Amino acid sequence: MYFKLLIKNVPLYLLLLCITLSSSCTKTHKIPKASKGVINLIGYKFDKVTQIELNGEWEFYNGQLLEPNDFKHIKKRFITVPGAWNKQLKYLDIKPEKYGTYRLQIKISSKPSPLVLRIPRIFSSYKIWVNKKLYKEVGKVDKNKINYIADLKLGLIGPISLSKDETEIELIIQIANYKDPNSGIMAPISIGNYSKIFDKELKILIEYIIILSIIFVIGLYHLILFMYRKNDTSTIIFAILAFFLVIYGVVTNDTLLKNITNISFESITRFTHIVVSIYPALITIFFYRLFSSVINKRLVIIITILSIILISVSLFSDIYTVRSIISLKVIFILFTLAYFTFYGIPKAIIKKQQGAIWAFIGILFLFAVNINDMLFALGIIKTAFLSIYGFALYIIFQAINIAERFSVAFKNNEKLNKKLDFQKKNLEKTVYARTKKIEAQKNELELVNLSLNTQKRKIESKNEEINSSIRYAKTLQKSILPSNENISKIFNSFVIYIPKHIVSGDFIWYSQSSSQKIIAVVDCTGHGVPGAFMSIIGHSILNQIVNDEKIYNPSLILEKMDIKVKKMLRTKETDTDDGMDVCLCLFDKISNEKTKLIFSTAKRPIIYHMKNKNIIKSIRTSARPIGGKYFDNIDFVNQELILNKGDMIYLTSDGFVDQNRADRKRFGTKKLLNLLKSISNFSTIKQKTILIEHFRNHKKNEELRDDVTIVGIKI
C-alpha cells in the first residue's frame, strides 16, 4: 500500500524538484556588455532588477598591482570577463604573470538606492576598491609568492551609497594566484539592490541548510539501521555517503564555512577533492551491495582503486596539481554515473531487481545535475550549480528504496514465521510419514540398483565384444589399404589421415606401371564401420580395373568403378544412394623437369599449385559421384596439365574443410587454398606439420565431424 502511494506521487515529487531548481537559478536581465573597460547601466532600475552581471571587456594590467591613483598615465589593455587571464593572454603571445589588476567603470543613473557588489570565487586572492575606497581583501595579494595567501571567501561588497551627483562607479580588483591553474575572475561579478541581493542570498542559504539537514537525518537513520542489521552493509555505505555529502556541502558553500571560520585554502581544497575522489567508489560499492548479480565486480575493484589513487594525489600532491586535475575527476564521476544510469541499473530493472526503479530515478537526476553543472561551469547554459539538489533528491529516492527493501524483508519475515509455526506443528507427522516412505523407496531402489548393475555388466560385455570386432576390422583395413611409408616410396609426398572412429570411410589407393603412376583419394559414404566396408569394396574394385584389366585412362576407370559399385550394392534393387567421391590422378613423366598430369574427379576436386606462376587452383571435372541413383547423365571427363619440378598436387576428402570450430564456422575451401598457397614451397614434411597445426587450432575441443584425408605430392 505504501509503495503504491509513493509511485502515485512521483509526478508531485518531480514538480517540486523543478520548482526548487528554478528558484535556485540566477535570474538575469538582458543588459549591455562592458566595452573598453566601461559598462553603461544608465536607465536600469536596481529596485526592480535583482542583480546585473558585469560581463564584457574590462581593463586588465598583467603583472601589475595598481591602486586607484596609478591609472593617470598608463596604457590601457583589455580582457574578457569572466575568464582566466592566463588562458586568454597566451593567444596574444603575452606571457601571463601570477598577478594583475582589473578595472571597470560602471555608468549609472543618478542617486540609485544602496547597491551591493556580489563577488564570486576569484582564484585565488583579491583586493577590491570601489570609488577609490578599499572595501575588502580576501587572502593576501602580493607579488612575492612567499607573502601571498590564498582564500575563497564570498565577497558581498556594500552597501555602496552614492551622492546625488555621482553617476559612475570605479571598480578596481587586484588579484594574485599561485595555487590554481586558472587565474582571474572565473564567474560573473554582479551589481544590484542591496536589500534584494541580501534577501536572495539569505533565502538560498536557508534552502541549502534545509537540504543538508534532510541528507544528514537520512544518513543518521541508515546508520541506526545498520546498528540493528549489520548483515546489510548497504545501509552503512549509504550513511557514510550521506555524511560525506553533508560535509562536502558545508565546505564548498560560499557562506556556511568559508565566511565564518579561518580554515585554510589548502585544507578546504584538499578535503573537497578527497570527497570528490571517494564519491564514485562509495556510489559503486553501494549499488554493488544492492544489485550484486548485475554489477560487474571487476568494475567495482577498478573504480575503488582509481578513487584511492585520486585520494592519494589530493592528500600528498601540491595544491596546484590537486586543482589541475579537477576535470579528470569530473570525467571519472560522469563515467561512473553514466554506467549506472544507462547500463547497470537498467539491467537490474530488466531483471526485476527489488528497488531498481527508485535507484534509476535517483541516479538519473544525479547524472542530469552533474551534466548541468559541467555545462554551467563552461558557460554554455545560464542556470546554477545544482549538484547539491541532485544529491538531495538522489538520497531521498535511495532512502525510499532501502526503506522499501526493509519493509518487504519484514513482511517476508512475518510470512516465514507463520509458515515455520505451521511446519513445526505438523513436523512429527510429516517426518514419520516420510520415514516410512523413504524406507519403502530405499528397498525399491536396492532392487532397481541390483537390476541395473546386472544390465550394466551385460552392456559392458557386449560393448567390449563390439569394440574388439571393430579393432580387428581396423587391422584388416590397415592390411588391405596402402601404408603412408609405401606411398612415400612412390611419390615425394605427405599423408594426413585422421579417422573419425576406429575405422575410416576414407582410403588412399595407388598403382604403378613402368612409366606411369596412379593415385586416388576416395571418400566413401558414411564413416566408422559402414564407411570401412565401403572403403574395402572401393579398394578391391580399383585393383580389378587397373591392375587386372589394365585400364589406365582416369575417366574410364571412374566409369568402370561406378558400374561395379552399383552392381555390387544393387543400387536399383535396394534404392540405396550410397557411393563414393573420388579424385584420381595419373602421372606420366616426360623429363626430369616436366610431368604430364591426367586427372578425373567424381564430385571431389583436385588442387594444384604452379611454383613458377605462384597460382593455386581447385578443379572438379565432374559433379557426378561414384554409385548412387542420380547423375547418370553426367560423364566423367579427363583434364591434362603439364607440371614442372616443384609444383604441388593435393588430393583431399571433405573432412578438413567441413570441420567446424566452437562457433560452428567451417574451416572452408577458401581458407584451405590460401593456406596451401602460402606453404606449397616448403618440404612435404613441413607442409604436413603446418596443416595439422592449423587444423587443431581451428577444431580445438570440438568433436571431429568426418574422416580427414589429405595427400600432397611434390613433382
Side-chain angles (χ1 to χ4, degrees):
M1 183 71 182
Y2 176 65
F3 180 68
K4 289 181 179 178
L5 184 62
L6 287 173
I7 290 288
K8 190 182 292 184
N9 289 330
V10 164
L12 177 61
Y13 300 148
L14 301 183
L15 178 62
L16 290 174
L17 173 73
C18 294
I19 294 171
T20 304
L21 298 187
S22 63
S23 68
S24 303
C25 297
T26 303
K27 298 177 184 177
T28 59
H29 224 59
K30 186 177 181 180
I31 57 172
K33 301 285 185 181
S35 177
K36 304 298 182 182
V38 179
I39 186 167
N40 187 354
L41 300 181
I42 295 173
Y44 285 87
K45 304 296 183 181
F46 289 98
D47 54 345
K48 294 182 179 180
V49 180
T50 302
Q51 59 188 37
I52 298 173
E53 293 179 353
L54 305 177
N55 297 337
E57 282 186 328
W58 287 42
E59 293 178 33
F60 178 71
Y61 303 93
N62 180 43
Q64 300 179 68
L65 296 179
L66 303 177
E67 295 188 359
N69 295 324
D70 297 335
F71 291 91
K72 293 179 181 178
H73 305 291
I74 192 165
K75 184 179 179 181
K76 292 184 178 182
R77 297 181 184 276
F78 303 98
I79 201 169
T80 301
V81 174
W85 80 59
N86 55 314
K87 299 292 174 63
Q88 297 182 56
L89 293 180
K90 67 179 182 179
Y91 297 114
L92 303 175
D93 295 327
I94 299 173
K95 181 183 178 183
E97 298 292 346
K98 295 295 184 180
Y99 52 89
T101 304
Y102 289 85
R103 181 171 180 253
L104 179 69
Q105 293 178 339
I106 308 168
K107 295 186 179 297
I108 58 174
S109 303
S110 60
K111 201 176 180 181
S113 55
L115 302 176
V116 65
L117 287 168
R118 189 184 189 283
I119 310 298
R121 298 180 189 179
I122 294 179
F123 295 98
S124 50
S125 66
Y126 62 94
K127 206 171 183 181
I128 296 182
W129 285 265
V130 179
N131 288 347
K132 301 190 179 187
K133 178 182 177 182
L134 179 62
Y135 265 81
K136 194 177 187 78
E137 182 173 11
V138 174
K140 184 171 179 58
V141 179
D142 201 281
K143 295 180 181 180
N144 192 328
K145 184 179 179 180
I146 298 173
N147 299 326
Y148 151 88
I149 299 173
D151 203 343
L152 288 177
K153 284 188 173 67
L154 173 70
L156 281 176
I157 309 301
I160 301 171
S161 297
L162 303 176
S163 66
K164 183 178 180 180
D165 299 327
E166 285 185 295
T167 59
E168 187 175 295
I169 298 174
E170 180 189 47
L171 178 61
I172 299 171
I173 306 176
Q174 290 182 358
I175 298 176
N177 175 43
Y178 293 90
K179 293 190 175 181
D180 194 273
N182 297 310
S183 300
I185 303 171
M186 300 304 298
I189 293 177
S190 303
I191 189 170
N193 181 277
Y194 178 80
S195 59
K196 283 182 175 292
I197 289 183
F198 184 81
D199 290 345
K200 180 178 176 61
E201 293 293 327
L202 182 61
K203 178 184 175 183
I204 291 172
L205 178 61
I206 293 171
E207 190 177 274
Y208 203 82
I209 292 172
I210 291 172
I211 289 173
L212 293 180
S213 300
I214 291 171
I215 297 174
F216 177 79
V217 170
I218 292 173
L220 185 63
Y221 169 73
H222 285 86
L223 178 63
I224 295 170
L225 280 180
F226 174 73
M227 294 172 65
Y228 285 97
R229 289 184 56 116
K230 294 183 179 178
N231 291 334
D232 189 354
T233 54
S234 64
T235 53
I236 186 62
I237 295 169
F238 186 79
I240 293 170
L241 178 62
F243 292 146
F244 264 110
L245 291 177
V246 170
I247 299 171
Y248 174 79
V250 172
V251 170
T252 56
N253 183 265
D254 288 321
T255 305
L256 284 179
L257 191 65
K258 293 175 186 168
N259 289 292
I260 60 176
T261 66
N262 290 320
I263 299 176
S264 69
F265 170 86
E266 183 172 328
S267 299
I268 289 177
T269 298
R270 290 193 188 280
F271 183 81
T272 301
H273 282 258
I274 288 169
V275 173
V276 171
S277 300
I278 202 173
Y279 172 65
L282 289 175
I283 285 282
T284 303
I285 295 170
F286 173 68
F287 281 126
Y288 178 72
R289 293 296 182 187
L290 287 181
F291 312 117
S292 58
S293 63
V294 297
I295 303 299
N296 191 314
K297 189 174 182 180
R298 289 184 180 177
L299 182 68
V300 177
I301 295 170
I302 291 170
I303 290 176
T304 304
I305 292 171
L306 290 176
S307 287
I308 292 171
I309 293 171
L310 291 175
I311 290 169
S312 301
V313 172
S314 301
L315 278 172
F316 303 112
S317 297
D318 60 275
I319 290 299
Y320 189 88
T321 302
V322 172
R323 296 187 69 84
S324 296
I325 62 171
I326 184 64
S327 58
L328 183 64
K329 295 176 181 178
V330 170
I331 291 171
F332 182 36
I333 290 173
L334 288 177
F335 168 78
T336 305
L337 294 177
Y339 170 79
F340 288 111
T341 304
F342 302 112
Y343 180 76
I345 299 178
K347 190 176 179 182
I349 293 174
I350 292 171
K351 293 195 172 183
K352 297 183 179 179
Q353 298 274 313
Q354 185 182 352
I357 294 177
W358 289 118
F360 177 73
I361 296 172
I363 201 73
L364 186 62
F365 273 93
L366 194 56
F367 181 74
V369 297
N370 275 272
I371 293 292
N372 169 84
D373 288 1
M374 182 178 68
L375 296 176
F376 177 69
L378 295 172
I380 297 173
I381 60 174
K382 292 285 185 180
T383 54
F385 286 111
L386 305 177
S387 59
I388 196 65
Y389 299 100
F391 288 141
L393 197 64
Y394 166 75
I395 291 287
I396 291 169
F397 279 122
Q398 289 309 312
I400 295 172
N401 176 17
I402 294 179
E404 180 195 340
R405 291 168 66 90
F406 273 102
S407 175
V408 172
F410 182 76
K411 290 179 180 178
N412 289 338
N413 189 49
E414 285 184 335
K415 290 179 181 178
L416 285 173
N417 285 335
K418 291 179 181 179
K419 190 174 180 180
L420 286 172
D421 288 340
F422 176 79
Q423 289 177 346
K424 184 178 178 181
K425 292 176 182 177
N426 295 278
L427 186 59
E428 289 184 1
K429 292 180 180 179
T430 304
V431 169
Y432 178 79
R434 288 184 178 178
T435 302
K436 289 291 185 181
K437 187 176 180 180
I438 289 169
E439 287 178 353
Q441 289 175 342
K442 180 184 175 184
N443 293 333
E444 186 178 344
L445 285 173
E446 287 177 351
L447 292 173
V448 171
N449 191 43
L450 181 63
S451 175
L452 287 174
N453 285 333
T454 302
Q455 293 296 326
K456 180 186 174 185
R457 285 192 292 271
K458 289 180 179 179
I459 292 169
E460 287 174 347
S461 176
K462 292 291 183 183
N463 191 47
E464 179 57 33
E465 289 178 11
I466 293 168
N467 285 335
S468 177
S469 297
I470 294 173
R471 284 193 292 270
Y472 184 66
K474 180 182 180 182
T475 303
L476 291 175
Q477 187 185 40
K478 191 174 181 181
S479 66
I480 294 170
L481 301 180
S483 66
N484 296 349
E485 291 77 12
N486 289 338
I487 295 171
S488 297
K489 290 177 183 178
I490 306 301
F491 301 94
N492 179 14
S493 63
F494 70 84
V495 175
I496 297 174
Y497 186 69
I498 309 171
K500 175 176 172 62
H501 298 300
I502 297 173
V503 289
S504 173
D506 289 358
F507 72 92
I508 304 165
W509 175 90
Y510 75 91
S511 181
Q512 182 182 24
S513 66
S514 58
S515 61
Q516 296 177 325
K517 303 174 187 176
I518 302 178
I519 189 167
V521 169
V522 184
D523 184 356
C524 300
T525 302
H527 37 70
V529 173
F533 279 122
M534 290 291 290
S535 71
I536 292 171
I537 291 170
H539 189 272
S540 175
I541 290 172
L542 281 170
N543 279 335
Q544 290 175 22
I545 296 169
V546 178
N547 296 333
D548 297 342
E549 299 175 19
K550 304 301 181 182
I551 296 173
Y552 298 106
N553 184 324
S555 61
L556 187 55
I557 292 171
L558 295 183
E559 288 286 358
K560 292 282 187 180
M561 189 177 183
D562 181 62
I563 294 168
K564 290 178 180 291
V565 167
K566 287 179 178 178
K567 182 177 179 181
M568 186 169 288
L569 296 179
R570 296 189 297 168
T571 300
K572 292 183 179 180
E573 299 172 29
T574 59
D575 198 32
T576 181
D577 199 31
D578 294 333
M580 305 169 191
D581 300 339
V582 183
C583 39
L584 187 145
C585 296
L586 182 143
F587 297 88
D588 191 355
K589 190 171 183 180
I590 300 171
S591 66
N592 288 335
E593 297 295 327
K594 294 186 179 296
T595 298
K596 181 194 287 187
L597 171 67
I598 304 172
F599 64 93
S600 184
T601 69
K603 203 173 180 180
R604 287 300 303 157
I606 71 155
I607 300 169
Y608 68 89
H609 176 265
M610 291 186 171
K611 182 179 180 181
N612 294 336
K613 296 181 180 180
N614 192 27
I615 59 172
I616 191 163
K617 288 190 177 181
S618 173
I619 298 178
R620 185 179 70 173
T621 64
S622 176
R624 173 184 168 189
I626 299 297
K629 54 186 179 180
Y630 303 109
F631 301 103
D632 287 342
N633 59 329
I634 299 175
D635 294 330
F636 295 113
V637 294
N638 289 335
Q639 281 199 28
E640 293 185 9
L641 290 172
I642 301 300
L643 302 175
N644 297 311
K645 187 174 181 180
D647 292 346
M648 285 293 303
I649 298 295
Y650 301 97
L651 294 82
T652 71
S653 67
D654 59 3
F656 197 101
V657 295
D658 285 346
Q659 179 59 46
N660 61 283
R661 63 188 186 193
D663 61 0
R664 305 198 63 78
K665 187 174 181 180
R666 298 166 60 248
F667 193 94
T669 302
K670 184 177 179 181
K671 186 176 178 181
L672 177 60
L673 289 174
N674 291 333
L675 177 58
L676 291 175
K677 184 177 181 181
S678 67
I679 67 172
S680 58
N681 292 328
F682 298 156
S683 68
T684 53
I685 296 173
K686 189 172 182 180
Q687 287 188 54
K688 177 178 180 179
T689 303
I690 294 171
L691 283 167
I692 291 174
E693 181 182 354
H694 276 74
F695 185 74
R696 287 174 177 169
N697 289 338
H698 177 81
K699 174 182 169 294
K700 292 188 177 177
N701 296 323
E702 293 300 302
E703 182 183 354
L704 192 64
R705 185 169 180 172
D706 198 355
D707 302 319
V708 175
T709 303
I710 296 182
V711 175
I713 301 171
K714 186 179 283 286
I715 303 303

